[in-house]
Amino acid sequence: MDFVPRQPIPEQAPVLNRVPEVPFTGLQTLWLQVGGTLCNLACNHCFISCHPENHNIPMMTLATVRRHLEEAGRHGVQDIYITGGEVFLNPEIMQILEAILEYGPCHVLTNGTTLNAKRVGQLQAIQERRTHKLHFRVSLDSLDEQENDSVRGPNAFRQAVEGIRNLSRAGFPTHLTLVRSWDEDEDPAMEQQVMVFLRNLGAPQGRAKFLPGFLLGELEKTARQYHEHERVTERCFDNWPITNLQCSSSRMVTEDGVYVCPILVEEPAARMGGTLEETFRPYPLRHAACYTCRISGMSCKS
Ligand code: SF4
Ligand code: SF4
């Protein structure tokens, strides 16, 4: 009798259930975690668990920023975003901004609470010396003071509002970021409310940026964890280009190395290398947060 081999066990899952890999198409956007994980606030939904004592990821030094800017410049970076933590806690922030503007426009993500008139005056002076533009994105959790401060802490609303006013007086384009706590189909109505809010603060050209809640960091503790089934597979990209994901054209640099994106800086598996060039390769979308990116179609960019 002939030996009939048993069906071999497949080494990989069926194609459509496989973990997809996002290709890297070129460095369009550079993210810099200038503030590390340090923040003057301790919002109870922060997906990186930033707070006044969190030094897990150190703030970036000017020297580190310069090194990565030079590398990014060689690869044709088009725009640069800085975030934290809170970027204005970094003692070298003004020199860092000045260095960034040599390479391209800089989008500053901030909670706005430290933007007093003196600091905004310094920002204005930097802007006058550089051709590339500074843009600001101030985050709040609600347009209602009480609701906002219940998440962000006492006085956070008033200080941020003062920051937006100061930026507007100085002529900086200022946008507002809110984590979505309403149904997506209410976005147009919310957008209108944000426009009115910004107009009243003297920022008529401001726009709204709504972000989905990532079930990471503090939000994972206060809301819920991702369910087992909340993962992406190749099937999720049948009719939606995987290159829509921001991780196909951007990288996140921290003082501790280069990560695939700004969302996964606390995930050791998302650290792709020590230099940008080491990270110019595909990345497997195993993390549950990738599911939020896919279903919301979100990008952290403006
Ligand atoms: S959400 Fe923003 S402002 Fe709040 S703790 Fe995190 S980094 Fe700071
Ligand atoms: S979390 Fe989003 S941006 Fe980050 S690797 Fe996953 S899909 Fe890409």
Side-chain angles (χ1 to χ4, degrees):
M1 194 172 77
D2 288 342
F3 174 71
V4 182
R6 280 191 296 173
Q7 192 70 24
I9 298 166
E11 283 176 12
Q12 291 177 316
V15 170
L16 291 177
N17 290 329
R18 281 206 314 239
V19 173
E21 284 204 332
V22 60
F24 185 70
T25 58
L27 187 68
Q28 188 184 323
T29 302
L30 176 70
W31 283 84
L32 298 166
Q33 203 194 15
V34 163
T37 43
L38 197 68
C39 190
N40 56 327
L41 303 184
C43 306
N44 59 24
H45 71 221
C46 184
F47 66 79
I48 316 183
S49 306
C50 298
H51 59 72
E53 272 92 44
N54 188 348
H55 297 275
N56 284 349
I57 303 177
M59 285 191 282
M60 293 186 80
T61 64
L62 177 61
T64 311
V65 169
R66 277 198 187 287
R67 198 172 66 243
H68 289 289
L69 282 172
E70 276 161 24
E71 200 188 0
R74 286 201 303 277
H75 289 280
V77 70
Q78 289 169 31
D79 49 12
I80 298 144
Y81 283 68
I82 64 167
T83 186
E86 172 49 46
V87 296
F88 286 100
L89 298 187
N90 188 314
E92 294 183 300
I93 185 63
M94 295 300 168
Q95 296 97 309
I96 287 173
L97 288 172
E98 194 130 18
I100 290 172
L101 292 180
E102 285 174 30
Y103 290 84
C106 178
H107 301 259
V108 180
L109 276 56
T110 170
N111 61 38
T113 57
T114 65
L115 291 173
N116 55 32
K118 183 175 170 209
R119 181 161 275 170
V120 173
Q122 293 169 333
L123 294 169
Q124 225 174 348
I126 290 174
Q127 184 61 90
E128 281 162 15
R129 291 195 288 273
R130 291 279 181 257
T131 320
H132 290 301
K133 297 286 178 216
L134 279 172
H135 303 266
F136 290 87
R137 227 165 77 186
V138 176
S139 57
L140 280 178
D141 273 286
S142 169
L143 304 181
D144 175 83
E145 179 169 356
Q146 226 180 337
E147 245 178 60
N148 180 79
D149 288 0
S150 70
V151 177
R152 301 207 144 211
N155 291 325
F157 186 87
R158 271 184 224 180
Q159 289 168 340
V161 160
E162 194 46 33
I164 296 172
R165 274 208 190 92
N166 289 333
L167 289 170
S168 308
R169 282 191 202 112
F172 286 115
T174 306
H175 298 168
L176 195 67
T177 304
L178 291 157
V179 174
R180 194 181 281 113
S181 58
W182 54 88
D183 286 339
E184 235 170 290
D185 52 11
E186 292 169 35
D187 276 3
M190 257 321 273
E191 211 166 321
Q192 280 308 312
Q193 288 181 41
V194 171
M195 306 297 260
V196 172
F197 180 81
L198 287 172
R199 209 177 305 137
N200 289 340
L201 295 178
Q205 288 140 4
R207 289 209 321 259
K209 167 85 179 168
F210 302 139
L211 294 172
F214 285 90
L215 298 169
L216 304 169
E218 290 309 297
L219 194 58
E220 185 181 16
K221 295 177 205 155
T222 52
R224 67 168 176 86
Q225 296 185 322
Y226 281 102
H227 299 305
E228 277 295 306
H229 68 271
E230 292 176 316
R231 301 289 186 279
V232 289
T233 65
E234 289 191 350
R235 189 188 297 260
C236 301
F237 298 97
D238 275 356
N239 300 308
W240 195 87
I242 198 164
T243 49
N244 283 356
L245 295 171
Q246 61 177 336
C247 42
S248 69
S249 59
S250 64
R251 287 293 179 256
M252 170 65 146
V253 175
T254 75
E255 188 64 23
D256 279 345
V258 185
Y259 285 71
V260 64
C261 71
I263 300 149
L264 298 180
V265 285
E266 291 190 306
E267 295 295 324
R271 187 185 182 281
M272 296 183 76
T275 66
L276 282 163
E277 274 163 22
E278 285 169 18
T279 73
F280 294 169
R281 57 188 155 87
Y283 182 79
L285 303 178
R286 280 201 185 86
H287 201 282
C290 305
Y291 177 82
T292 301
C293 287
R294 170 61 190 91
I295 58 167
S296 64
M298 75 79 69
S299 164
C300 301
K301 286 174 62 174
S302 293

